[in-house]
Amino acid sequence: MGHAEPQVSTSLQSFWMPFSPNKEFKADPRLVARAEGMYFYTPDGRALIDASAGLFCVAAGHCRKEIAEAVYRQLQTLDFTAPFLRGHSKSFELAERVATFTPAGLNRIFFVNSGSEAVDTAMKMALMFHRVRGQPQRQLFVSRERAYHGVNMGGVALAGMVNNRRAFGPGLPGVYHMRHTALPQNKFVKGQPEHGADLADDLQRMCNLYGGENIAACFVEPTAGSFGCLPPPQGYLNRLRQICDDNGILLVFDEVITGWGRMGANFGAQAFGVTPDLLLMAKAITNGAQPMGAVAAKQGIYDAITDAGPKQGIEFFHGYTYSAHPASCAAGLAMMDIFRDDRLIERAAALSPYFIDAIHTLADAPGVVDIRSVGLMAAVEVAAVGGPGARGHELQKKLYDIGLHLKSTGDSLIIAPPLVAERRHVDEIVDKVRQALKA
Ligand SMILES: Cc1ncc(COP(=O)(O)O)c(C=O)c1O
């Protein structure tokens, strides 16, 4: 299927690549030139199966014509309008469509441009909500070790991954971390592990130590994604919900990865049966074709903030130049049609048992020390060799040469294919990962 593309002739030096080993990459680049369906193609035409939906974005498979055409039409009709004090119909329409997927009650949708922006927006919403309700002292936040909440300073403070924090100081003060849930007895468990619900009591301990009345919100990924797929222990999220309710704390689910079908339901909230107060999303909302994120807020939070504002004038001093950008809204609306017409979420749920069983066959592959999985996401963790992350990094390069793209973190290979994947694609991914582990 692949066809030859010209090699890049330009210098690679000017572009400062994000989250990448710049010097190493530029000395030995691994480029992609185009993509279609389940595959990327290298400049010399080799196919790479996409085992991580790009970066958990491309739920509907690559280069969907419906989205490309919708964006093209939009840019010829209304390329941009100020999102402050002006509106365009697609932003309202997309918010209505998104709210048909979110849990009941989370029906007020604030658009941003990325997951990181969704995180910092939600922190500000939480602070604002408590302030207008006469509790301005609620300024502390709780998150969890091994969490990833993007790269803006709020997200850095919430982050539970050392490399994302250590160079940047404390970020915001007043952020405390619960322990992670990766217990030794949960190794190689399929789906939600049995052990660890009691770790949610760390939140109660924070309340006891700092005063529950001082905590604004507790942020968690329903399943930690970027760290390497840590599904919540059974009962863990319910326990967090209870402690938040008991102490007047907002529960925030960061569903930037777990949203839009990845967990086998619309959102992790529905997959795990626990409803947060704020739900963050990005990535698959536009199939990754345009930058967009969103915060879905409970109507009560929106009402409290907007009712407290002046009769005329701005209620929430927050927003981005590109919030609800017309091209992103057009892409999002086209994607909503694809979710409906291609029954993407039902497909993910149907493929999940096959996917999980197939990934767990890698348990006997060389160096594998754990496999975690839920929905259409799994992590295969290999023993560290030559320092943490070194083996994962080498594997990452080898996989490109073998013909597979995936996201790795440290020594975990994270497998989360587009929701349009079929069994044969899962088999190909498993074969190629095994090949790389054996090499
Ligand atoms: C849970 C979570 N939150 C936030 C983010 C940040 O999203 P972005 O890279 O779009 O800023 C990510 C990115 O992977 C994520 O996984």
Side-chain angles (χ1 to χ4, degrees):
M1 176 78 225
H3 59 74
E5 295 276 342
Q7 287 285 345
V8 176
S9 56
T10 188
S11 163
L12 304 181
Q13 296 312 314
S14 294
F15 176 40
W16 187 342
M17 297 175 70
F19 264 127
S20 305
N22 273 259
K23 291 190 292 292
E24 184 185 343
F25 186 96
K26 289 170 187 180
D28 182 18
R30 287 174 165 75
L31 299 166
V32 293
R34 64 181 196 94
E36 187 181 334
M38 285 290 301
Y39 292 89
F40 287 108
Y41 295 91
T42 62
D44 57 0
R46 270 189 327 108
L48 260 63
I49 190 161
D50 185 356
S52 288
L55 208 48
F56 314 103
C57 306
V58 187
H62 288 274
C63 287
R64 294 292 300 240
K65 278 212 160 36
E66 307 91 313
I67 298 175
E69 282 165 6
V71 171
Y72 182 63
R73 274 196 307 276
Q74 184 59 42
L75 290 176
Q76 289 178 313
T77 313
L78 176 69
D79 54 348
F80 180 81
T81 179
F84 314 151
L85 308 174
R86 294 282 175 275
H88 65 93
S89 65
K90 288 200 169 62
S91 58
F92 297 99
E93 202 186 325
L94 181 58
E96 293 284 326
R97 297 283 297 274
V98 167
T100 65
F101 287 86
T102 49
L106 279 112
N107 56 8
R108 294 294 180 263
I109 313 297
F110 193 102
F111 288 117
V112 299
N113 307 292
S114 66
S116 299
E117 289 182 359
V119 169
D120 283 43
T121 297
M123 294 178 89
K124 289 168 84 173
M125 280 180 182
L127 292 171
M128 183 83 187
F129 172 71
H130 293 303
R131 174 169 291 275
V132 300
R133 300 210 324 159
Q135 301 192 358
Q137 84 287 354
R138 286 191 184 268
Q139 300 203 358
L140 306 181
F141 290 93
V142 175
S143 64
R144 191 169 51 187
E145 295 171 344
R146 302 201 173 173
Y148 183 66
H149 293 295
V151 293
N152 291 342
M153 282 316 260
V156 166
L158 294 172
M161 290 160 73
V162 64
N163 287 335
N164 295 342
R165 305 179 56 96
R166 60 163 36 119
F168 310 117
L172 294 184
V175 179
Y176 301 102
H177 291 76
M178 304 181 287
R179 284 171 293 173
H180 64 74
T181 61
L183 301 174
Q185 59 270 44
N186 290 341
K187 280 188 190 300
F188 294 103
V189 166
K190 296 178 181 176
Q192 290 188 262
E194 218 177 292
H195 304 284
D198 52 316
L199 288 162
D201 291 336
D202 280 7
L203 179 57
Q204 186 58 53
R205 292 175 63 156
M206 305 283 172
C207 294
N208 299 346
L209 184 59
Y210 301 109
E213 75 283 4
N214 294 319
I215 300 176
C218 171
F219 277 67
V220 285
E221 302 161 84
T223 291
S226 285
F227 183 83
C229 190
L230 292 176
Q234 293 166 25
Y236 175 88
L237 295 174
N238 312 65
R239 182 89 190 104
L240 280 186
R241 177 71 275 179
Q242 188 59 51
I243 297 168
C244 284
D245 289 346
D246 292 347
N247 292 278
I249 298 167
L250 294 182
L251 180 61
V252 184
F253 279 180
D254 183 345
E255 299 234 28
V256 167
I257 287 179
T258 55
W260 296 110
R262 181 59 57 199
M263 298 287 99
N266 295 358
F267 289 91
Q270 290 111 333
F272 304 123
V274 175
T275 304
D277 301 299
L278 296 168
L279 186 157
L280 321 184
M281 65 188 85
K283 297 192 186 265
I285 188 173
T286 61
N287 208 35
Q290 290 286 300
M292 179 170 245
V295 178
K298 274 196 175 154
Q299 188 174 340
I301 294 177
Y302 170 88
D303 287 345
I305 292 175
T306 52
D307 289 349
K311 274 233 153 22
Q312 290 168 326
I314 297 165
E315 302 112 349
F316 184 42
F317 281 80
H318 181 74
Y320 302 92
T321 297
Y322 301 116
S323 284
H325 190 284
S328 300
C329 289
L333 282 168
M335 187 60 178
M336 297 301 112
D337 287 347
I338 293 173
F339 271 113
R340 181 194 59 209
D341 299 342
D342 290 10
R343 301 178 63 76
L344 286 186
I345 293 167
E346 293 83 344
R347 280 181 73 156
L351 185 62
S352 170
Y354 183 86
F355 169 78
I356 288 177
D357 284 346
I359 300 292
H360 279 261
T361 63
L362 292 165
D364 63 359
V368 172
V369 292
D370 191 13
I371 297 180
R372 305 173 289 271
S373 54
V374 63
L376 221 51
M377 173 156 76
V380 177
E381 188 175 336
V382 295
V385 176
R391 176 122 198 267
H393 185 59
E394 281 315 305
L395 277 170
Q396 180 59 261
K397 290 192 280 187
K398 201 166 293 161
L399 286 166
Y400 176 93
D401 299 339
I402 287 174
L404 182 142
H405 162 78
L406 57 70
K407 151 94 172 114
S408 58
T409 300
D411 294 302
S412 288
L413 308 177
I414 308 173
I415 302 168
L419 310 186
V420 292
E422 294 174 11
R423 289 182 174 203
R424 66 193 163 93
H425 299 120
V426 175
D427 296 344
E428 183 181 342
I429 291 166
V430 171
D431 281 352
K432 287 188 164 155
V433 172
R434 185 179 289 280
Q435 226 177 299
L437 291 170
K438 276 189 181 159

